[in-house]
Every structure is written in structure tokens, then in C-alpha cells.
Amino acid sequence: MSTTATLATLSDSNPAADPNWWRQASVYQIYPRSFWDSNGDGLGDIKGITAKVPYLKELGIDAVWLSPFYPSALADGGYDVDDYRDVDPKLGTLDDFAEMSAALHAAGIKLIADIVPNHSSNRHEWFKEALASPRGSAARERYIFRDGLGENGELPPSDWDSVFGGPAWERITEPDGTPGQWYMHIFAKEQPDLNWANREIRDDFLKTLRFWSDRGVDGFRVDVAHALTKDLTEPLLSKAELSAANTGTDGFDDGSHPFWDRDEVHEVYAEWREVFNEYNPPRTAVAEAWVHASRRARYASPQGLGQAFNFDLLQADFDAGQFREIITRNLAEATATGASSTWVFSNHDVVRHATRYGLPMGGGLHAKGQDGKGWLLAGAPAEELDVELGLRRARAASLLMLALPGSAYLYQGEELGLQEVAQIPESERQDPSFFRNKGVEIGRDGCRVPLPWAVEGPSFGFGADGAHLPQPEWFSRYAVEAQDGVEGSTLELYRKALKLRRELQTAEELEWVETGNAHVLEFVRHGGWQCVTNFGAEAVVLPAGEVLLSSAPLEGKLLPGNTTVWLR
């Protein structure tokens, strides 16, 4: 299939398309390098996704979110982009992308692409040009270059730390070989921050949005959406001054931080919205914005991106009270702004929730238990993890999430009940965060291990010649082949839940039912169907009604502990 022919098909407007399809969509995140390997080189690829479209269709999802697939040195798992308008040759070609897009759409599945606007890679042609150009040049104005402090500029412009550890500034060597200016990188030094005060940057990203929209992309997940615009008026504040000025419980709540969540970023997204609205139906977007709760609504406004991730459930313990407060607050926010809620438990950056829920609770995301990272750093002691309990709670939590109004984001492999892969030899790890922060950060490789499709073989059916990250022997029990058609398997639970969700979804609201039990959450959706979750260990009496689906076997008229049921 030629790219030209495909473009003509995919860019045609569809008058019957639903402009609100995203509001209660089930979105499946694919980490391309670990999904399926079509050519036996150990890396998942675009053709591998195309080959598995029947699996995705049978699963019952509404959309696929594709993590970065652009040319990249993988300094940060593909979030260091060399070229925003191409496919990494190791993953395929633009023609392969067009075929995948067409196959997904033929199966009734939308396509969401990850876009990374805060920074490029240090291999991007713009950055290479900046390094070869003098101070004050137009090429350097695309990034954030500053002279250093100290007698000879030997000190960074500020004492800020990068997210991945170490200073947020890197000194370059000038074209004449002398020590030179410093460039800003909030993340890795291979990810220089772009200068969004530069009109050229803004116009080029509008071009990128149209490039992929014309190739069938229905929406965009916006990486680090709160970090684009910056106020670097000198003198720059110190770390201590920034800490003292931090007035919000979750960070700055007034837009005054020099590089996080500034008000001007919404001017960028207003322009993006104009581009999205050129298409029929309009392209959608969801912001990854780790901001104070009071400031999340602007990212999700209809004049901006339309939707913003809330990671609140992901950060919570498996606890009825926490879940109810989070759900109530986020639905109220969505109603007030006209946005749609988002729900997520796992993704490519966090320990899988089937593992987190099997660890000791107490303290939310940053405790040793529910975060999971402290447990991994401690060597993943087996006696601290209850695998069976973790999976049981994960199934219950996922079934509850799929009953909620709003859109549900699923991460590849959670439909198999996959655990985190804890034991990866240092020699085989890939995540740079592990190597930059040894002893402090374990890295994210454990949730990025290639999926098991078959119960046997060198890579459990992932590819013909092994996998780029080591798969444990226990993957065999979780393989698609081991669960396909097996009553009660996690895969079949997800398939049934996603099918029912599509049939039952109505208005984006719910009504809580007071149960009188602090461990039980019950709510009713329009049309008279209801969801009941028992977060406790002891069984409780089931409400009256027809059982549609349960996350674990019921005990007669009792709902066991750590179980969710849908009733009508």
C-alpha cells in the first residue's frame, strides 16, 4: 500500500463519525518495542502491531495509544525524538504506519499517537545545527542556551536538578573548541529543552500535528504537557528559593514556577485546538500534566487539549475510602469544566498494579509498598509479595475502573494479569534512569518486558529470535495462549468487561449507594446497572440483581473480599 494512496483515504472526512468518541473510550497503550516482533530482531515493531489487530479487536478496546515510535537513540525509551515526522527504521516505515492505521480503523479502533513537545533529542538536526552555530544564532534560539556563571562561565546558569538526577544544564564545546554555553534539559542531557517562545518551534509542531492527523491519527497523548513554556528571566531563582515559593500541596498553584505549569502554555494548546478542529471529527488530545489539582482543568478544557490524565487512582492504596474520594472529586472536576475523566492504574513508567497491590499497603504511591519501587530496590524479596492477592485486587480494581464514567486507559499486558518483572540482571537493563541513579532508582524495564503470546518458545511467542529484555519462566502461565478461551482467566475477564462496558455506558455520571460498610463501594449508573467492590477481606451480602460479571467467583449470595461485581 502506498503512503500517498493511504493519505487520500485517511484524510477524508467522515460525516457519521462521533466527535465525542473519546469521552468514554477504552484506550489500550502499546509500547511498540515490546508488543510483537514481526521480523525476529528482538524488537517489537509497527508490522507487529498490524498483525495483532485481530487480537485488539477481540479484546474490545476503542482506541490504541502508541508510545513513541519515532527515530531515537532510546536515551529515554523513545521520548528522545530525532525526527518528529518519521518512524524509527528499527520499527518500520511510514508505509508500515499507514498500513497499521488503516488496519486499526478497519477494525473500528482509533489511533492515538504520543507527541513529545518539551524537548527533542540531542541528535535532532536542529540541535546539531545549534552546536555548530555561534552564540546568539537563530539555530541556538530554538533551544534554551545560556552563558554560565563564575569567572569563565564554568558554573551552570542555576543549581536546578534534572528529573533524572544531576544538573539540569549541560555545557557544550563551541565550534572553535573552547568551553562554551550551557543548554537546559529538564530530563536527560540527551533531551535538550525546546524554546517555546520561538515562533518557529510553535509553527513546526502545528505542521507535525497535521502530518500525523493526515495519516489517520485520531488523537495525541501530550508528553509533559505542563513544561513547554518557561520564564527564565535573570537572575534565575535557586533551588532553595523555588522550594520556599512552593505554596501548593502538589506543587506551585499560581503559575509562577519558571518552567512547570505556566499559564502561557495554554496559548500553545489553543493553537493546537484550532488544528484539531480542522478535521472531522476533530482530533483529540490528552495531557500528561502533573500539576496541582486546582490547575488541571485548564489542560482539559474544550478550548485546549480536551482531556488531562489524572493519576490519582494509580497513586492510591487499594482502599475504599481513598477510591471514593478520588472518584467523587474527579467527576466533579469534569462536570465543572465540561471535560471527561480519565482513569489509569498502569503504564510504561510505573510498577504494574498487579504487583503493587500484592505488597504491604499504607502511604500511597511513595511508600515502600504501593509504589513498588522500594520493594524492587530492596531486591524484590519474595516473602513481601502476595502474588495471588495482588492479582485478585488488580482484577477487582480494573473491573471497578471499567464501570466508571469517563475514559479508561489500559497498559499492554494488564489484560493478562502480568506482574512486574523484578529480577533483571544489571547487564541486561536498558532504562537510563537506572544507570544515572544507581541505588536510588530501579528503572522502568520491569513493566516494559515484551509480552508473552505463547506458552513455549525462546520468547514466549513474542518473536522468532528472543526478546530485547529478558522474560522470566513464569511468563508462560500468563501467555495469551494459556488464557485464550479459558473461563475465569484475566484475559477473558477483560474481554467480557470491555464488551459489556460498551453496551452499558450511558451518561457520564454515577450515584453512590450508602452501604454502611467502610470497605464496600457501590454505585449505580444510568440504565439501572451497578458496580459493587468489596475492598475488605471478609465476604458481604450481595445486593439484589442479575449478576453480569464478577472479578472472582462469588460465594452464593455473598461477595467475597477483594472482589468487584456488576449487577443489573
Side-chain angles (χ1 to χ4, degrees), residues 388-431:
E388 183 179 343
L389 177 64
L391 178 56
R392 186 181 182 98
R393 285 175 169 170
R395 286 164 57 109
S398 296
L399 195 56
L400 184 155
M401 178 182 78
L402 291 173
L404 293 172
S407 55
Y409 283 80
L410 315 173
Y411 178 53
Q412 64 176 43
E414 72 170 80
E415 79 279 12
L416 305 177
L418 277 188
Q419 301 282 328
E420 185 83 357
V421 179
Q423 305 295 344
I424 300 177
E426 183 174 326
S427 61
E428 298 196 57
R429 287 195 175 271
Q430 298 175 8
D431 189 354

Side-chain angles (χ1 to χ4, degrees), residues 175-189:
D176 64 2
T178 60
Q181 288 189 300
W182 299 72
Y183 67 86
M184 183 177 176
H185 58 92
I186 296 178
F187 295 93
K189 66 180 182 180

Side-chain angles (χ1 to χ4, degrees), residues 329-346:
R329 172 164 43 83
N330 280 281
L331 289 178
E333 283 181 17
T335 300
T337 61
S340 165
S341 297
T342 62
W343 313 105
V344 59
F345 286 120
S346 286

Side-chain angles (χ1 to χ4, degrees), residues 196-214:
W196 277 85
N198 187 331
R199 187 67 243 178
E200 184 181 5
I201 301 298
R202 298 191 181 207
D203 289 340
D204 197 74
F205 268 88
L206 298 180
K207 183 176 179 181
T208 294
L209 294 173
R210 291 189 177 98
F211 180 90
W212 293 112
S213 295
D214 291 342

Side-chain angles (χ1 to χ4, degrees), residues 40-104:
D41 65 356
L43 276 181
D45 44 46
I46 300 297
K47 282 184 175 293
I49 297 169
T50 305
K52 294 298 184 182
V53 167
Y55 171 81
L56 297 169
K57 181 177 175 65
E58 186 177 3
L59 184 58
I61 57 167
D62 300 305
V64 158
W65 154 26
L66 213 57
S67 291
F69 50 85
Y70 313 105
S72 172
L74 301 184
D76 182 24
Y79 286 90
D80 48 315
V81 178
D82 298 346
D83 185 343
Y84 288 93
R85 297 192 285 271
D86 203 357
V87 174
D88 191 324
K90 295 187 291 293
L91 303 186
T93 65
L94 282 171
D95 278 347
D96 293 336
F97 186 92
E99 291 178 15
M100 175 195 68
S101 179
L104 287 168

Side-chain angles (χ1 to χ4, degrees), residues 148-172:
L149 304 178
E151 186 176 346
N152 299 301
E154 70 277 9
L155 301 176
S158 73
D159 62 350
W160 299 340
D161 293 325
S162 78
V163 171
F164 290 156
W169 298 90
E170 182 75 10
R171 198 175 194 186
I172 68 165

Side-chain angles (χ1 to χ4, degrees), residues 314-334:
L314 186 154
Q315 294 174 289
D317 292 324
F318 186 78
D319 176 83
Q322 291 184 43
F323 269 55
R324 177 162 176 165
E325 187 278 326
I326 288 166
I327 293 166
T328 301
R329 172 164 43 83
N330 280 281
L331 289 178
E333 283 181 17

